[in-house]
Amino acid sequence: METENIIQILIMTHVVFGSIALISGAISMITKKGDFLHKKSGTVFYYALLMATIISFIISSMPNHKSPFLFFLGLFTLYFIIGGYRSLRFKEKNASFWIDKIIAYTILFTGVFMMTYPILFEGKINSILLVFGAVGILFGIVDLLLFQNLNTIKKNWLKIHLSKMISGYVATVTAFIVNQWNFGIWSWFTPTIFGNIFIVYWLIKLNRKKL
């Protein structure tokens, strides 16, 4: 079988898992948090997006399909969904955080590489990688600071879970828009803007419940 045929099979498989992630993620966000449908759709979203992301790494590294943008977006997606999924365990009494610290360091160094990659290899600054790289560094630093106070982590596990899982969904929507209706730099930033508004809405809602 020729390489291009294999790539096309991978792309179709990626699209299937990505579509499942888009649908199940939407269901998880609009259903009542903590109920049966939310948990099941959230689990489907996690594993579907995990598979789609892993396949995207392979595709974005193949001949005639190399894309540092989508590769880095995949790293961001993994950071968000794995971190969001693992945050469900933060409330446990004997929760371990060493894996999460490794993830935090990974996204921090990934952010540095994203910012410097176009400068080192292309001799120019790329605004998209610059912004997302800075975001990666910020997330990594915030995570590492949080892990210095485990009581804060345990009290705010739900906020961490919602923020990262929604961010993972935003990354999925971003990849979909970039591939289907690419309208320049706004293809990358528009989902992030609306996603952050949605995250802020939920954080405010959670804070009000504690009052």
Side-chain angles (χ1 to χ4, degrees), residues 123-141:
K124 61 181 180 181
I125 295 176
N126 184 290
S127 58
I128 296 174
L129 292 182
L130 184 69
V131 171
F132 280 101
V135 171
I137 293 172
L138 178 62
F139 271 108
I141 292 174

PDB file of all heavy atoms in Angstrom, residues 123-141:
ATOM      1  N   GLY A 123      13.728  31.763  10.562  1.00  0.00           N
ATOM      2  CA  GLY A 123      14.280  33.114  10.633  1.00  0.00           C
ATOM      3  C   GLY A 123      13.233  34.203  10.722  1.00  0.00           C
ATOM      4  O   GLY A 123      13.461  35.343  10.293  1.00  0.00           O
ATOM      5  N   LYS A 124      12.052  33.886  11.286  1.00  0.00           N
ATOM      6  CA  LYS A 124      10.999  34.891  11.421  1.00  0.00           C
ATOM      7  C   LYS A 124      10.125  34.566  12.628  1.00  0.00           C
ATOM      8  O   LYS A 124      10.188  33.467  13.194  1.00  0.00           O
ATOM      9  CB  LYS A 124      10.144  34.933  10.163  1.00  0.00           C
ATOM     10  CG  LYS A 124       9.440  33.622   9.848  1.00  0.00           C
ATOM     11  CD  LYS A 124       8.623  33.727   8.561  1.00  0.00           C
ATOM     12  CE  LYS A 124       7.915  32.406   8.255  1.00  0.00           C
ATOM     13  NZ  LYS A 124       7.131  32.486   6.991  1.00  0.00           N
ATOM     14  N   ILE A 125       9.316  35.542  13.020  1.00  0.00           N
ATOM     15  CA  ILE A 125       8.389  35.355  14.131  1.00  0.00           C
ATOM     16  C   ILE A 125       7.025  34.982  13.579  1.00  0.00           C
ATOM     17  O   ILE A 125       6.522  35.613  12.657  1.00  0.00           O
ATOM     18  CB  ILE A 125       8.276  36.646  14.975  1.00  0.00           C
ATOM     19  CG1 ILE A 125       9.613  36.958  15.646  1.00  0.00           C
ATOM     20  CG2 ILE A 125       7.177  36.497  16.028  1.00  0.00           C
ATOM     21  CD1 ILE A 125       9.615  38.257  16.414  1.00  0.00           C
ATOM     22  N   ASN A 126       6.434  33.944  14.137  1.00  0.00           N
ATOM     23  CA  ASN A 126       5.098  33.523  13.737  1.00  0.00           C
ATOM     24  C   ASN A 126       4.123  33.934  14.839  1.00  0.00           C
ATOM     25  O   ASN A 126       4.228  33.468  15.982  1.00  0.00           O
ATOM     26  CB  ASN A 126       5.047  32.009  13.521  1.00  0.00           C
ATOM     27  CG  ASN A 126       3.714  31.531  13.003  1.00  0.00           C
ATOM     28  OD1 ASN A 126       2.725  31.544  13.722  1.00  0.00           O
ATOM     29  ND2 ASN A 126       3.686  31.115  11.750  1.00  0.00           N
ATOM     30  N   SER A 127       3.185  34.799  14.509  1.00  0.00           N
ATOM     31  CA  SER A 127       2.284  35.362  15.519  1.00  0.00           C
ATOM     32  C   SER A 127       1.424  34.295  16.194  1.00  0.00           C
ATOM     33  O   SER A 127       1.160  34.366  17.407  1.00  0.00           O
ATOM     34  CB  SER A 127       1.388  36.438  14.896  1.00  0.00           C
ATOM     35  OG  SER A 127       0.641  35.913  13.820  1.00  0.00           O
ATOM     36  N   ILE A 128       0.971  33.288  15.421  1.00  0.00           N
ATOM     37  CA  ILE A 128       0.118  32.247  15.992  1.00  0.00           C
ATOM     38  C   ILE A 128       0.889  31.408  17.000  1.00  0.00           C
ATOM     39  O   ILE A 128       0.445  31.193  18.137  1.00  0.00           O
ATOM     40  CB  ILE A 128      -0.457  31.354  14.878  1.00  0.00           C
ATOM     41  CG1 ILE A 128      -1.383  32.171  13.966  1.00  0.00           C
ATOM     42  CG2 ILE A 128      -1.215  30.163  15.481  1.00  0.00           C
ATOM     43  CD1 ILE A 128      -1.882  31.415  12.755  1.00  0.00           C
ATOM     44  N   LEU A 129       2.068  30.936  16.600  1.00  0.00           N
ATOM     45  CA  LEU A 129       2.880  30.126  17.506  1.00  0.00           C
ATOM     46  C   LEU A 129       3.379  30.960  18.690  1.00  0.00           C
ATOM     47  O   LEU A 129       3.544  30.440  19.799  1.00  0.00           O
ATOM     48  CB  LEU A 129       4.067  29.528  16.753  1.00  0.00           C
ATOM     49  CG  LEU A 129       3.732  28.464  15.701  1.00  0.00           C
ATOM     50  CD1 LEU A 129       5.005  27.913  15.076  1.00  0.00           C
ATOM     51  CD2 LEU A 129       2.922  27.321  16.308  1.00  0.00           C
ATOM     52  N   LEU A 130       3.607  32.254  18.450  1.00  0.00           N
ATOM     53  CA  LEU A 130       4.062  33.137  19.520  1.00  0.00           C
ATOM     54  C   LEU A 130       2.998  33.245  20.614  1.00  0.00           C
ATOM     55  O   LEU A 130       3.296  33.097  21.813  1.00  0.00           O
ATOM     56  CB  LEU A 130       4.374  34.523  18.964  1.00  0.00           C
ATOM     57  CG  LEU A 130       4.951  35.541  19.960  1.00  0.00           C
ATOM     58  CD1 LEU A 130       6.366  35.140  20.366  1.00  0.00           C
ATOM     59  CD2 LEU A 130       4.953  36.947  19.343  1.00  0.00           C
ATOM     60  N   VAL A 131       1.748  33.467  20.203  1.00  0.00           N
ATOM     61  CA  VAL A 131       0.659  33.621  21.170  1.00  0.00           C
ATOM     62  C   VAL A 131       0.374  32.309  21.892  1.00  0.00           C
ATOM     63  O   VAL A 131       0.308  32.267  23.127  1.00  0.00           O
ATOM     64  CB  VAL A 131      -0.623  34.129  20.467  1.00  0.00           C
ATOM     65  CG1 VAL A 131      -1.807  34.080  21.428  1.00  0.00           C
ATOM     66  CG2 VAL A 131      -0.413  35.536  19.942  1.00  0.00           C
ATOM     67  N   PHE A 132       0.221  31.229  21.130  1.00  0.00           N
ATOM     68  CA  PHE A 132      -0.088  29.944  21.754  1.00  0.00           C
ATOM     69  C   PHE A 132       1.087  29.446  22.599  1.00  0.00           C
ATOM     70  O   PHE A 132       0.885  28.782  23.614  1.00  0.00           O
ATOM     71  CB  PHE A 132      -0.468  28.913  20.693  1.00  0.00           C
ATOM     72  CG  PHE A 132      -1.885  29.035  20.218  1.00  0.00           C
ATOM     73  CD1 PHE A 132      -2.183  29.660  19.020  1.00  0.00           C
ATOM     74  CD2 PHE A 132      -2.935  28.545  20.977  1.00  0.00           C
ATOM     75  CE1 PHE A 132      -3.490  29.789  18.571  1.00  0.00           C
ATOM     76  CE2 PHE A 132      -4.251  28.661  20.549  1.00  0.00           C
ATOM     77  CZ  PHE A 132      -4.524  29.290  19.345  1.00  0.00           C
ATOM     78  N   GLY A 133       2.311  29.773  22.180  1.00  0.00           N
ATOM     79  CA  GLY A 133       3.476  29.410  22.977  1.00  0.00           C
ATOM     80  C   GLY A 133       3.474  30.127  24.312  1.00  0.00           C
ATOM     81  O   GLY A 133       3.760  29.538  25.364  1.00  0.00           O
ATOM     82  N   ALA A 134       3.128  31.418  24.285  1.00  0.00           N
ATOM     83  CA  ALA A 134       3.050  32.201  25.524  1.00  0.00           C
ATOM     84  C   ALA A 134       1.966  31.650  26.445  1.00  0.00           C
ATOM     85  O   ALA A 134       2.142  31.573  27.665  1.00  0.00           O
ATOM     86  CB  ALA A 134       2.775  33.665  25.193  1.00  0.00           C
ATOM     87  N   VAL A 135       0.850  31.232  25.844  1.00  0.00           N
ATOM     88  CA  VAL A 135      -0.241  30.629  26.621  1.00  0.00           C
ATOM     89  C   VAL A 135       0.220  29.330  27.276  1.00  0.00           C
ATOM     90  O   VAL A 135      -0.077  29.054  28.440  1.00  0.00           O
ATOM     91  CB  VAL A 135      -1.473  30.364  25.730  1.00  0.00           C
ATOM     92  CG1 VAL A 135      -2.519  29.542  26.477  1.00  0.00           C
ATOM     93  CG2 VAL A 135      -2.072  31.681  25.259  1.00  0.00           C
ATOM     94  N   GLY A 136       0.979  28.529  26.520  1.00  0.00           N
ATOM     95  CA  GLY A 136       1.506  27.280  27.067  1.00  0.00           C
ATOM     96  C   GLY A 136       2.430  27.525  28.248  1.00  0.00           C
ATOM     97  O   GLY A 136       2.359  26.826  29.266  1.00  0.00           O
ATOM     98  N   ILE A 137       3.291  28.516  28.127  1.00  0.00           N
ATOM     99  CA  ILE A 137       4.202  28.869  29.225  1.00  0.00           C
ATOM    100  C   ILE A 137       3.402  29.314  30.443  1.00  0.00           C
ATOM    101  O   ILE A 137       3.690  28.917  31.578  1.00  0.00           O
ATOM    102  CB  ILE A 137       5.174  29.982  28.778  1.00  0.00           C
ATOM    103  CG1 ILE A 137       6.119  29.443  27.703  1.00  0.00           C
ATOM    104  CG2 ILE A 137       5.966  30.518  29.971  1.00  0.00           C
ATOM    105  CD1 ILE A 137       6.984  30.515  27.065  1.00  0.00           C
ATOM    106  N   LEU A 138       2.378  30.135  30.200  1.00  0.00           N
ATOM    107  CA  LEU A 138       1.538  30.632  31.297  1.00  0.00           C
ATOM    108  C   LEU A 138       0.835  29.490  32.016  1.00  0.00           C
ATOM    109  O   LEU A 138       0.841  29.418  33.257  1.00  0.00           O
ATOM    110  CB  LEU A 138       0.510  31.623  30.747  1.00  0.00           C
ATOM    111  CG  LEU A 138      -0.480  32.203  31.772  1.00  0.00           C
ATOM    112  CD1 LEU A 138       0.263  32.989  32.836  1.00  0.00           C
ATOM    113  CD2 LEU A 138      -1.509  33.088  31.076  1.00  0.00           C
ATOM    114  N   PHE A 139       0.236  28.563  31.242  1.00  0.00           N
ATOM    115  CA  PHE A 139      -0.446  27.419  31.843  1.00  0.00           C
ATOM    116  C   PHE A 139       0.522  26.564  32.656  1.00  0.00           C
ATOM    117  O   PHE A 139       0.193  26.107  33.748  1.00  0.00           O
ATOM    118  CB  PHE A 139      -1.105  26.564  30.760  1.00  0.00           C
ATOM    119  CG  PHE A 139      -2.503  26.973  30.426  1.00  0.00           C
ATOM    120  CD1 PHE A 139      -2.804  27.604  29.230  1.00  0.00           C
ATOM    121  CD2 PHE A 139      -3.539  26.722  31.309  1.00  0.00           C
ATOM    122  CE1 PHE A 139      -4.090  27.990  28.923  1.00  0.00           C
ATOM    123  CE2 PHE A 139      -4.846  27.095  31.014  1.00  0.00           C
ATOM    124  CZ  PHE A 139      -5.119  27.738  29.807  1.00  0.00           C
ATOM    125  N   GLY A 140       1.709  26.339  32.118  1.00  0.00           N
ATOM    126  CA  GLY A 140       2.697  25.528  32.824  1.00  0.00           C
ATOM    127  C   GLY A 140       3.104  26.154  34.144  1.00  0.00           C
ATOM    128  O   GLY A 140       3.185  25.466  35.174  1.00  0.00           O
ATOM    129  N   ILE A 141       3.337  27.464  34.133  1.00  0.00           N
ATOM    130  CA  ILE A 141       3.739  28.170  35.355  1.00  0.00           C
ATOM    131  C   ILE A 141       2.614  28.151  36.382  1.00  0.00           C
ATOM    132  O   ILE A 141       2.843  27.890  37.575  1.00  0.00           O
ATOM    133  CB  ILE A 141       4.150  29.626  35.027  1.00  0.00           C
ATOM    134  CG1 ILE A 141       5.445  29.631  34.216  1.00  0.00           C
ATOM    135  CG2 ILE A 141       4.327  30.437  36.315  1.00  0.00           C
ATOM    136  CD1 ILE A 141       5.845  31.015  33.723  1.00  0.00           C
TER     137      ILE A 141
END
